[in-house]
Amino acid sequence: MFGVANKLRAAGVLGLNERNAEFIMRLNPRRLYPRVDDKAITKELALQAGMAVPDLYGVIHHQGEVRRFREIVANYESFVVKPAQGSGGDGILVVTGRSQRKRDSFRLSSGMLMSEAEIEHHLSNIVGGQYSLSGHPDKALIEYCVRFDPTFAEVSYQGVPDIRVIVYQGYPAMAMVRLPTRVSDGKANLHQGAVGAGVCMSTGETLTGVLDNDVVDEHPDTGALISGLLIPQWDFILESAARGYDVTGLGYLGVDMVIDRYKGPLILEMNARPGLNIQIANCTGLACRIRRIDEIFDADATPEERVRICRREFPAERQTSMSFDL
Amino acid sequence: MKQNYVFALALLLAAVGMSVFVYKWRVLGFPLTDNQETPVWTIESAISFDSGPGSIKVNLLIPTLTPGFRKLNENPISRGYGFSLNYGSGGREAQWAVRRADGPQTIYYRISVYEDSQADQSDTTPPFPPPPVINEPFKTAVDVLVNDVREQSADTESFTSELLRRMNDPSPGPNLELLLSDVSNDSDFVEVATTMLAAARIPARKVHGFPLSGRQRRAQPVTWLEVHDGDRWRYFDPATGEESIPERFLIWWRGNESLVSVEGGSNVEVDFAVQRNHVDAIAIARTHAGQDSTPLIDLSLYSLPIRTQAVYGVLLMIPIGALIMVLMRNFIGVDAFGTFMPVLIALAFRETKLFWGVVLFTLLVALGLSIRFLLERLRLLLVPRLSAVLIVVVLLMLVISLMSHKLGMETGLSVALFPMVIIAMTIERMSVVWEERGPTDALRGASGSLLVAIAAYIGMGLTWLEHLIFTFPELLLLILALVVVAGRYTGYRLLELSRFKALTGD
């Protein structure tokens, strides 16, 4: 038991307790949390900083406004409904189109049909606080539905694959691509069954994936090889992530991005408590990269400089074709 | 740096907790385990007499300084007498008085004591006694004897021993025979000894007491000789001259005064009865601390009304549950719904016992969950829906109680003790997880909660621990210290070891 712990420590693997005590509590002051916990605020801050985000169609603040839903989406075929303070992707509804026969029926990314009344009930639940972190009343955001880039078409089952970058003190430390599966119901959250694939920070090339803490080479639904895909506009993605630090002030930050076919990389949300599965996806411990960043930290470095340093410092330690004994 | 503060704080908390604990345990004698009982001796003196025509005043010498014993309580029992306590030359005196009484009277004085070798009550160092005024021919006899004995002894101790040895000699010689000619009992014998010791300028006094053993109906006071060697009082057996004291010797009164005096009464008789019984060691510790007027006793839970004590008996175990919660979450990494929900469930298990607790909890949550899924179809808003779930939970509890009562299973009745609001929230949370993340996550969370609840139940159900915490609530500071230190534990959780196994590099 202690042998395993020692090996993990030697490999620089970050545990939950250490993440909470050493990084989140030390680097993420509570008063900054609303900037990332409330997606409406995040969006506003990102826009002010000139970062690309999905367009906001409308916000439903309270129960009385749920009626406005119809007019908000009147001009859009597809959109996303999400709670402003949701956690872990809960409560997100991706509407990809409308039913041909009934104008007030919506088709979800999973292929299911949902009536307007059902969506309105969902909005009520969001506003009532069912999905919010603290159970407090919440807002519902209705925004642009990303039409994702074909890069990951082969390795996603419905839903939108996204890119998670861990930013430590403004330096992008580690990244992964989260690929939805049938089990994850089109959602890109690892604990819901999505596949996470590590990314080489230098090249933006995907490595092997991880599914439920196990390393996988192929997507479970499509069977396509996960590794070796080159993420477009990698530099821009890392820069946007690095800029997330300047916008939020959070020293330990997870930035979630998607690549839109037409608009390029967009910031979806940011997270003050990013999970640790990214280490498994990359087969690398976060703690050693964090130590390296502490060594080279320069408070005056611009986001571009920080990205350049990280691309130089953190190439993939393992080759994509490597296999693991489990 | 922060680490140091945390450890310093934890150390401080632990030190305070431990020192209060050790003080109460070692000095005040609070028992570590529940079943520690100390033998307590109750000595009752009954004074019976025939009342005369006028007012009656009864004086009884009662124990003042009792080396080796501590007083638990004492009470005078009489009918219609006024009672007062005075300090006389021989120590404390109990005084009863009544204007008028008819027929034979009995007055009781009862004292309860327990052994305590530490009971070192301070006694005054007496002045050198004045030479006794003795008439001839006794004076010459005393002088000769004192000179003889002094020549054959080195100090107070050997003087006393030698004197008593000579007095007990079957053929004591003409001088001693003269002195002992009037002696009819032990008390007189010791009195002669004290006179001679006084002639040698050695402070000495007669002590009367009872060697306590078992139950005695008519205990006879035993007279012993107490001699001060300039430093402390020493006890000598008048029959042998050895320095000794009878086992469990309770000194009742000292000096030459008579034990009891009754003004206005006749045919006075005093009887002593001794009884041994066991009293909870806590009661003794309380009295003990009360006599020393320690403020700590005021913080003891035993000073609360019994009903409140029962509540605190349970409440004080919650920190234990919280500690177990911390261990399960931060060191093992078990998933559970709600931070303290498992602890509250564990509290309910105390009443239902484990097996039925688990059965009832599972039943309640399963039924509540299925009804919650039915409610989902009605598309209720959040707060009304939560309230509906709560009401359903209450109704389910009622139904379970009624059913089990009908079936003759009384354990089912205790379902009412489950924290219904907490259960309603758990059901709600579980249903959301079920929908959002699938049944696997929901069931894992539920079984994790149950696992923690069972662990907390076991931890909180340890009787010795419950007694320990209840008697020494300051140990909670120790638990607080542990929790504070655990709050800075940044190592891996047990379940993370398998989660990150792929990263070990093997």
Side-chain angles (χ1 to χ4, degrees):
Chain A
M1 199 173 95
F2 290 107
V4 178
N6 285 336
K7 276 181 195 162
L8 288 179
R9 201 167 298 284
V13 175
L14 195 61
L16 266 180
N17 288 331
E18 194 179 356
R19 179 200 74 171
N20 292 345
E22 297 296 336
F23 302 116
I24 293 185
M25 282 164 116
R26 187 161 59 86
L27 300 173
N28 295 356
R30 277 251 153 230
R31 64 187 164 81
L32 298 179
Y33 273 34
R35 295 187 185 180
V36 292
D37 283 348
D38 190 327
K39 295 188 182 76
I41 298 177
T42 312
K43 204 180 266 288
E44 204 173 309
L45 286 171
L47 277 174
Q48 280 169 11
M51 296 155 80
V53 292
D55 292 337
L56 185 65
Y57 294 162
V59 182
I60 292 182
H61 294 92
H62 41 81
Q63 181 60 32
E65 286 182 350
V66 170
R67 279 179 276 120
R68 283 186 49 224
F69 167 69
R70 186 193 298 258
E71 66 183 86
I72 289 174
V73 298
N75 296 324
Y76 304 106
E77 280 297 308
S78 65
F79 54 88
V80 175
V81 172
K82 58 168 73 164
Q85 300 182 43
S87 69
D90 289 353
I92 294 180
L93 222 54
V94 179
V95 176
T96 53
R98 292 181 192 248
S99 163
Q100 297 299 319
R101 288 176 290 111
K102 282 161 70 183
R103 187 67 186 152
D104 63 351
S105 257
F106 298 89
R107 188 162 302 278
L108 301 185
S109 58
S110 59
M112 259 171 51
L113 274 180
M114 207 168 175
S115 73
E116 196 173 83
E118 281 171 323
I119 292 188
E120 281 179 357
H121 175 59
H122 185 76
L123 286 168
S124 297
N125 278 342
I126 291 176
V127 171
Q130 177 170 328
Y131 303 101
S132 79
L133 289 170
S134 47
H136 291 310
D138 197 3
K139 296 187 286 265
L141 307 185
I142 301 165
E143 63 179 29
Y144 170 73
C145 176
V146 173
R147 288 161 186 83
F148 67 89
D149 191 86
T151 314
F152 301 115
E154 286 292 300
V155 287
S156 309
Y157 184 88
Q158 298 166 344
V160 182
D162 72 0
I163 300 160
R164 152 71 57 94
V165 183
I166 301 276
V167 182
Y168 176 76
Q169 300 274 52
Y171 290 80
M174 203 176 267
M176 72 169 161
V177 179
R178 301 187 294 186
L179 307 165
T181 61
R182 196 161 51 83
V183 177
S184 80
D185 195 20
K187 287 170 183 154
N189 275 306
L190 295 199
H191 58 82
Q192 287 173 331
V195 173
V199 179
C200 169
M201 292 296 283
S202 299
T203 60
E205 196 180 353
T206 54
L207 313 170
T208 46
V210 55
L211 179 63
D212 287 336
N213 298 342
D214 294 331
V215 175
V216 290
D217 285 322
E218 296 164 354
H219 191 276
D221 300 315
T222 66
L225 205 61
I226 291 169
S227 57
L229 299 170
L230 205 61
I231 299 173
Q233 304 188 58
W234 183 235
D235 230 1
F236 182 78
I237 289 174
L238 289 184
E239 265 175 46
S240 303
R243 234 178 271 271
Y245 166 70
D246 303 290
V247 168
T248 59
L250 296 171
Y252 185 76
L253 182 71
V255 180
D256 294 348
M257 307 190 66
V258 283
I259 304 177
D260 188 82
R261 193 179 302 180
Y262 310 108
K263 305 186 178 199
L266 303 176
I267 291 199
L268 263 195
E269 58 178 284
M270 295 193 238
N271 199 319
R273 313 166 195 78
L276 296 171
N277 273 354
I278 195 168
Q279 301 180 108
I280 307 175
N282 280 282
C283 275
T284 308
L286 251 177
C288 35
R289 292 201 173 173
I290 283 174
R291 271 197 296 276
R292 182 70 191 127
I293 292 173
D294 278 332
E295 286 167 15
I296 56 182
F297 180 73
D298 174 10
D300 299 325
T302 63
E304 291 78 12
E305 285 167 347
R306 298 199 296 255
V307 168
R308 209 179 56 241
I309 290 168
C310 286
R311 288 190 71 165
R312 187 191 69 215
E313 290 288 330
F314 305 132
E317 286 169 22
R318 300 186 182 215
Q319 289 307 306
T320 50
S321 56
M322 214 169 157
S323 63
F324 303 94
D325 299 326
L326 289 171
Chain B
M1 198 62 193
K2 203 161 273 176
Q3 204 85 358
N4 290 343
Y5 282 131
V6 167
F7 281 118
L9 175 69
L11 215 59
L12 184 75
L13 287 171
V16 171
M18 276 316 279
S19 44
V20 174
F21 164 69
V22 169
Y23 177 74
K24 278 169 79 171
W25 170 40
R26 304 301 314 198
V27 181
L28 298 186
F30 276 76
L32 280 187
T33 50
D34 204 6
N35 45 16
Q36 270 186 11
E37 286 186 334
T38 309
V40 168
W41 305 89
T42 304
I43 304 100
E44 184 182 80
S45 62
I47 308 159
S48 46
F49 55 91
D50 294 328
S51 57
S55 62
I56 296 170
K57 205 159 130 188
V58 180
N59 260 317
L60 176 74
L61 297 176
I62 56 173
T64 312
L65 296 173
T66 52
F69 288 93
R70 270 184 190 274
K71 183 176 71 184
L72 187 61
N73 56 50
E74 58 181 339
N75 31 4
I77 303 157
S78 64
R79 188 179 295 177
Y81 284 79
F83 175 78
S84 61
L85 248 174
N86 307 315
Y87 280 86
S89 58
R92 296 192 308 156
E93 287 176 17
Q95 194 175 76
W96 290 266
V98 73
R99 181 77 54 193
R100 170 172 294 281
D102 287 324
Q105 302 284 311
T106 310
I107 290 172
Y108 299 94
Y109 167 80
R110 188 182 290 162
I111 185 169
S112 295
V113 295
Y114 60 95
E115 280 182 89
D116 183 358
S117 52
Q118 319 253 289
D120 201 20
Q121 293 132 322
S122 60
D123 200 343
T124 50
T125 303
F128 288 115
V133 183
I134 319 169
N135 298 329
E136 293 292 356
F138 299 103
K139 186 171 168 34
T140 316
V142 167
D143 287 345
V144 170
L145 207 63
V146 165
N147 279 330
D148 278 5
V149 173
R150 187 173 280 150
E151 266 171 34
Q152 294 186 14
S153 62
D155 51 14
T156 310
E157 186 192 339
S158 50
F159 183 95
T160 313
S161 294
E162 177 62 18
L163 177 71
L164 288 172
R165 193 191 61 73
R166 285 178 182 232
M167 285 171 70
N168 281 304
D169 200 320
S171 51
N175 288 331
L176 261 176
E177 253 173 40
L178 175 69
L179 292 169
L180 293 174
S181 56
D182 285 344
V183 168
S184 59
N185 57 26
D186 283 351
S187 180
D188 293 344
F189 181 83
V190 176
E191 195 169 339
V192 172
T194 56
T195 312
M196 277 186 287
L197 284 163
R201 310 300 303 275
I202 295 171
R205 58 191 181 190
K206 234 176 8 176
V207 295
H208 311 264
F210 303 91
L212 303 176
S213 63
R215 174 182 292 208
Q216 292 159 271
R217 292 277 295 145
R218 283 172 186 275
Q220 288 300 319
V222 173
T223 310
W224 222 252
L225 178 64
E226 212 178 20
V227 174
H228 200 273
D229 67 355
D231 189 31
R232 64 188 179 89
W233 289 100
R234 307 173 82 131
Y235 301 88
F236 290 88
D237 185 348
T240 61
E242 280 173 34
E243 183 178 0
S244 70
I245 189 164
E247 210 185 334
R248 286 198 284 276
F249 188 63
L250 174 71
I251 296 171
W252 193 273
W253 86 100
R254 291 181 170 84
N256 297 329
E257 286 177 62
S258 65
L259 174 65
V260 66
S261 68
V262 178
E263 285 175 34
S266 55
N267 294 331
V268 181
E269 267 185 51
V270 187
D271 276 329
F272 287 93
V274 175
Q275 191 174 351
R276 174 189 158 137
N277 39 25
H278 288 268
V279 166
D280 202 352
I282 289 164
I284 291 179
R286 283 183 58 195
T287 327
H288 184 158
Q291 284 166 357
D292 294 358
S293 66
T294 311
L296 279 176
I297 203 72
D298 297 333
L299 295 173
S300 165
L301 286 158
Y302 291 99
S303 55
L304 292 174
I306 301 291
R307 194 185 279 267
T308 323
Q309 282 187 27
V311 173
Y312 272 98
V314 177
L315 283 190
L316 288 184
M317 293 312 279
I318 290 181
I320 302 281
L323 180 67
I324 289 169
M325 190 76 210
V326 166
L327 292 179
M328 298 294 270
R329 289 284 275 260
N330 281 38
F331 288 82
I332 299 181
V334 180
D335 269 341
F337 288 126
T339 311
F340 290 113
M341 188 277 265
V343 179
L344 295 175
I345 299 296
L347 275 184
F349 283 178
R350 284 169 68 94
E351 303 299 326
T352 58
K353 298 299 167 243
L354 194 55
F355 176 73
W356 280 108
V358 173
V359 168
L360 289 174
F361 175 77
T362 314
L363 195 65
L364 205 55
V365 170
L367 287 174
L369 204 57
S370 33
I371 289 175
R372 165 68 180 74
F373 282 131
L374 291 179
L375 283 177
E376 179 65 22
R377 299 189 177 186
L378 302 180
R379 292 187 201 154
L380 304 179
L381 292 179
L382 183 69
V383 178
R385 187 177 63 220
L386 271 178
S387 313
V389 172
L390 177 61
I391 293 167
V392 165
V393 167
V394 173
L395 286 173
L396 282 174
M397 285 161 85
L398 185 67
V399 169
I400 290 175
S401 284
L402 287 175
M403 295 269 280
S404 67
H405 183 63
K406 273 270 187 282
L407 294 172
M409 294 187 299
E410 297 302 313
T411 25
L413 297 179
S414 47
V415 76
L417 294 157
F418 278 108
M420 52 191 113
V421 175
I422 297 286
I423 292 212
M425 294 303 284
T426 305
I427 289 169
E428 173 67 20
R429 182 84 200 112
M430 200 173 155
S431 78
V432 171
V433 171
W434 190 296
E435 276 181 11
E436 290 289 330
R437 303 188 188 165
T440 328
D441 267 27
L443 291 178
R444 193 171 53 211
S447 48
S449 305
L450 204 54
L451 188 72
V452 178
I454 291 170
Y457 165 78
I458 292 170
M460 290 157 74
L462 299 171
T463 7
W464 61 270
L465 193 61
E466 193 174 340
H467 167 81
L468 207 61
I469 297 284
F470 192 78
T471 316
F472 305 98
E474 58 277 1
L475 288 179
L476 293 186
L477 289 178
L478 206 64
I479 293 175
L480 181 61
L482 284 177
V483 170
V484 165
V485 170
R488 290 300 299 175
Y489 169 73
T490 56
Y492 299 108
R493 298 174 184 180
L494 196 58
L495 293 180
E496 277 179 346
L497 295 185
S498 66
R499 178 183 167 194
F500 292 128
K501 209 169 166 202
L503 295 174
T504 48
D506 290 341

